Amino acid sequence: MSDLINYVSCGLLWLGLLAKAPDLVRRWRDPFLLAISCVLAFASLCFLFGAPHTVGFINDVSGVPNLAAPLTYGAITAYGAASLVLVVSWRGGPGTTRAIRRWVLGYWGVLACIGGLFVLGDASVERRTDFDTYYATTPYIAEMIVLYLVGHFTAVVVTAHRSLTWARQLRGALRAGLVTMGAGTVVGAGYSASKLVAVVARWCGRDWSVLGTTLSPACAGLGAALTVVGTVIPLVGPFVATRARCWRAYARLGPLEQELMELLRREYLSVPRPFWPSPTRWLTWRQSTIYNGLHYLERYFDQGLYRQAYADRLRVTGDRHQAEAAAWATAITAATRTVSDSGPRPAVAGEAAPLPQRPDLSALLRIADALAESHGERALAMC
């Protein structure tokens, strides 16, 4: 099951990386885009190299016992560094390029030391799950383990601090992404912290390897998932928010369309509904249908009734927009009743006239709300 979770997670991250590939090809010099791509790539390698079957495969194919260990440690260290660089480039500001360069060069040095210490050390006995505690007292290998754990812990703690500190100054999808990313790095810190505790316990003659084989993988998996989700939220947040606003507007226009429904059906004024349930298309469809009905009713609108309703509502609320919406709702209701009671007929001169301005979408929404409110009041009165 552990292998399956690792491989599925890796595959999902590769899909995300594949989705970013066209943008990466076009804007390969963009540091923010490069940082996101590196986070996705190194997170996928962490899951891939962390699977026990992959560990065995790398060791068997290479013929080097425990070669998977420095590769996994390198991926984990690089993932922590990429998350830190992402937050730094995300925020921007003066000195960003210089700060990114320092962090990148520093962690390149950590990666080089991990490889060099593994070559110098003796790790001839294959350990697929408890490498850290088994070799915690082996010269050079112990230093390699401590180096990658401290490097990872430093990166995630700094990332968490910067993410959560910056998030307090923001709102919306960016804040949600930073909070999620900060939470992910805090959880991810549990990976290196638990392993460090297990290593120190080994130095003290105790066997706490269970921390490294159970708690730390759970922290690593959950932390990586939250961090990646945090990087994605600001990218998809505006898209989702726009669609959600369209769906809400579509739903709010329902009472206005319902008021016009009998006329729309009788006069065949409805625009064909789009087959694909796209929020923008369905909103445009409902708006266009309503405009058709209002255009047909123009000759039945009573300007005197409109002005009286506007004045009455304005006197009560003092809100011009709300008064206009209430006046429109009153005029539309009266016009539809006129058409329904007496059938289509031309307006008598002086009795009715087109209202001065066709309402835009925001005005249509207020009119629909006014209709819904009046229908609710009418239903309460009947009760």
Side-chain angles (χ1 to χ4, degrees), residues 3 23 40 56 64 112 132-134 181 199 316 362 377:
D3 283 340
D23 292 334
L40 294 174
V64 179
D132 304 281
T133 51
Y134 186 86
M181 186 175 182
V199 168
V316 173
S362 60
E377 292 174 352

PDB file of all heavy atoms in Angstrom, residues 3 23 40 56 64 112 132-134 181 199 316 362 377:
ATOM      1  N   ASP A   3       3.832   1.634  -1.333  1.00  0.00           N
ATOM      2  CA  ASP A   3       4.328   1.843  -2.693  1.00  0.00           C
ATOM      3  C   ASP A   3       3.241   2.446  -3.575  1.00  0.00           C
ATOM      4  O   ASP A   3       3.511   3.360  -4.366  1.00  0.00           O
ATOM      5  CB  ASP A   3       4.794   0.508  -3.295  1.00  0.00           C
ATOM      6  CG  ASP A   3       6.148   0.086  -2.747  1.00  0.00           C
ATOM      7  OD1 ASP A   3       6.868   0.957  -2.228  1.00  0.00           O
ATOM      8  OD2 ASP A   3       6.473  -1.105  -2.816  1.00  0.00           O
ATOM      9  N   ASP A  23       3.910  26.440 -20.527  1.00  0.00           N
ATOM     10  CA  ASP A  23       4.303  27.740 -19.975  1.00  0.00           C
ATOM     11  C   ASP A  23       5.801  27.780 -19.694  1.00  0.00           C
ATOM     12  O   ASP A  23       6.449  28.815 -19.900  1.00  0.00           O
ATOM     13  CB  ASP A  23       3.544  28.019 -18.676  1.00  0.00           C
ATOM     14  CG  ASP A  23       2.055  28.230 -18.904  1.00  0.00           C
ATOM     15  OD1 ASP A  23       1.691  28.640 -20.025  1.00  0.00           O
ATOM     16  OD2 ASP A  23       1.272  27.979 -17.982  1.00  0.00           O
ATOM     17  N   LEU A  40       7.316  20.864  -7.978  1.00  0.00           N
ATOM     18  CA  LEU A  40       6.564  19.707  -8.458  1.00  0.00           C
ATOM     19  C   LEU A  40       7.500  18.549  -8.806  1.00  0.00           C
ATOM     20  O   LEU A  40       7.228  17.387  -8.463  1.00  0.00           O
ATOM     21  CB  LEU A  40       5.730  20.095  -9.686  1.00  0.00           C
ATOM     22  CG  LEU A  40       4.604  21.105  -9.457  1.00  0.00           C
ATOM     23  CD1 LEU A  40       3.967  21.494 -10.790  1.00  0.00           C
ATOM     24  CD2 LEU A  40       3.546  20.529  -8.538  1.00  0.00           C
ATOM     25  N   GLY A  56      14.821  -0.719  -3.638  1.00  0.00           N
ATOM     26  CA  GLY A  56      15.415  -2.007  -4.006  1.00  0.00           C
ATOM     27  C   GLY A  56      15.832  -2.045  -5.459  1.00  0.00           C
ATOM     28  O   GLY A  56      16.898  -2.599  -5.797  1.00  0.00           O
ATOM     29  N   VAL A  64      25.210  -0.965  -6.336  1.00  0.00           N
ATOM     30  CA  VAL A  64      25.775  -0.236  -5.193  1.00  0.00           C
ATOM     31  C   VAL A  64      24.780  -0.314  -4.050  1.00  0.00           C
ATOM     32  O   VAL A  64      23.681   0.232  -4.161  1.00  0.00           O
ATOM     33  CB  VAL A  64      26.055   1.235  -5.542  1.00  0.00           C
ATOM     34  CG1 VAL A  64      26.628   1.971  -4.325  1.00  0.00           C
ATOM     35  CG2 VAL A  64      26.998   1.333  -6.723  1.00  0.00           C
ATOM     36  N   ALA A 112      26.241  18.507  -2.936  1.00  0.00           N
ATOM     37  CA  ALA A 112      27.577  17.987  -3.257  1.00  0.00           C
ATOM     38  C   ALA A 112      28.184  17.274  -2.051  1.00  0.00           C
ATOM     39  O   ALA A 112      28.812  16.207  -2.199  1.00  0.00           O
ATOM     40  CB  ALA A 112      28.482  19.136  -3.717  1.00  0.00           C
ATOM     41  N   ASP A 132      18.740   5.509   8.202  1.00  0.00           N
ATOM     42  CA  ASP A 132      19.220   6.610   9.053  1.00  0.00           C
ATOM     43  C   ASP A 132      19.695   6.108  10.414  1.00  0.00           C
ATOM     44  O   ASP A 132      20.787   6.472  10.866  1.00  0.00           O
ATOM     45  CB  ASP A 132      18.102   7.647   9.237  1.00  0.00           C
ATOM     46  CG  ASP A 132      17.585   8.155   7.923  1.00  0.00           C
ATOM     47  OD1 ASP A 132      18.242   9.011   7.323  1.00  0.00           O
ATOM     48  OD2 ASP A 132      16.522   7.685   7.474  1.00  0.00           O
ATOM     49  N   THR A 133      18.854   5.324  11.059  1.00  0.00           N
ATOM     50  CA  THR A 133      19.224   4.872  12.408  1.00  0.00           C
ATOM     51  C   THR A 133      20.275   3.765  12.364  1.00  0.00           C
ATOM     52  O   THR A 133      21.120   3.681  13.271  1.00  0.00           O
ATOM     53  CB  THR A 133      17.972   4.372  13.145  1.00  0.00           C
ATOM     54  OG1 THR A 133      17.262   3.420  12.324  1.00  0.00           O
ATOM     55  CG2 THR A 133      17.034   5.527  13.462  1.00  0.00           C
ATOM     56  N   TYR A 134      20.264   2.946  11.326  1.00  0.00           N
ATOM     57  CA  TYR A 134      21.243   1.847  11.230  1.00  0.00           C
ATOM     58  C   TYR A 134      22.649   2.402  11.067  1.00  0.00           C
ATOM     59  O   TYR A 134      23.609   1.879  11.651  1.00  0.00           O
ATOM     60  CB  TYR A 134      20.889   0.938  10.056  1.00  0.00           C
ATOM     61  CG  TYR A 134      21.745  -0.292   9.950  1.00  0.00           C
ATOM     62  CD1 TYR A 134      21.429  -1.449  10.665  1.00  0.00           C
ATOM     63  CD2 TYR A 134      22.878  -0.319   9.135  1.00  0.00           C
ATOM     64  CE1 TYR A 134      22.221  -2.594  10.571  1.00  0.00           C
ATOM     65  CE2 TYR A 134      23.672  -1.442   9.043  1.00  0.00           C
ATOM     66  CZ  TYR A 134      23.338  -2.584   9.757  1.00  0.00           C
ATOM     67  OH  TYR A 134      24.135  -3.706   9.671  1.00  0.00           O
ATOM     68  N   MET A 181       0.535  26.353   2.186  1.00  0.00           N
ATOM     69  CA  MET A 181       1.942  26.013   1.985  1.00  0.00           C
ATOM     70  C   MET A 181       2.709  26.074   3.300  1.00  0.00           C
ATOM     71  O   MET A 181       3.549  25.205   3.591  1.00  0.00           O
ATOM     72  CB  MET A 181       2.560  26.965   0.967  1.00  0.00           C
ATOM     73  CG  MET A 181       3.976  26.619   0.577  1.00  0.00           C
ATOM     74  SD  MET A 181       4.580  27.696  -0.739  1.00  0.00           S
ATOM     75  CE  MET A 181       6.212  26.991  -0.992  1.00  0.00           C
ATOM     76  N   VAL A 199      17.927   9.578  15.325  1.00  0.00           N
ATOM     77  CA  VAL A 199      19.383   9.480  15.182  1.00  0.00           C
ATOM     78  C   VAL A 199      20.074   9.791  16.512  1.00  0.00           C
ATOM     79  O   VAL A 199      21.003   9.080  16.929  1.00  0.00           O
ATOM     80  CB  VAL A 199      19.873  10.431  14.070  1.00  0.00           C
ATOM     81  CG1 VAL A 199      21.382  10.574  14.103  1.00  0.00           C
ATOM     82  CG2 VAL A 199      19.426   9.916  12.706  1.00  0.00           C
ATOM     83  N   VAL A 316     -37.695  55.383   1.504  1.00  0.00           N
ATOM     84  CA  VAL A 316     -37.560  54.421   2.600  1.00  0.00           C
ATOM     85  C   VAL A 316     -36.101  54.049   2.843  1.00  0.00           C
ATOM     86  O   VAL A 316     -35.647  53.998   3.991  1.00  0.00           O
ATOM     87  CB  VAL A 316     -38.395  53.153   2.311  1.00  0.00           C
ATOM     88  CG1 VAL A 316     -38.132  52.079   3.360  1.00  0.00           C
ATOM     89  CG2 VAL A 316     -39.874  53.499   2.246  1.00  0.00           C
ATOM     90  N   SER A 362     -25.237  43.949 -13.397  1.00  0.00           N
ATOM     91  CA  SER A 362     -25.353  44.245 -11.970  1.00  0.00           C
ATOM     92  C   SER A 362     -26.751  44.748 -11.629  1.00  0.00           C
ATOM     93  O   SER A 362     -27.312  44.401 -10.577  1.00  0.00           O
ATOM     94  CB  SER A 362     -24.294  45.261 -11.552  1.00  0.00           C
ATOM     95  OG  SER A 362     -24.445  46.473 -12.275  1.00  0.00           O
ATOM     96  N   GLU A 377     -42.218  38.358   0.424  1.00  0.00           N
ATOM     97  CA  GLU A 377     -43.165  39.124   1.238  1.00  0.00           C
ATOM     98  C   GLU A 377     -44.594  38.737   0.899  1.00  0.00           C
ATOM     99  O   GLU A 377     -45.466  38.663   1.772  1.00  0.00           O
ATOM    100  CB  GLU A 377     -42.933  40.623   1.013  1.00  0.00           C
ATOM    101  CG  GLU A 377     -41.607  41.125   1.550  1.00  0.00           C
ATOM    102  CD  GLU A 377     -41.348  42.571   1.197  1.00  0.00           C
ATOM    103  OE1 GLU A 377     -42.155  43.126   0.393  1.00  0.00           O
ATOM    104  OE2 GLU A 377     -40.363  43.146   1.696  1.00  0.00           O
TER     105      GLU A 377
END
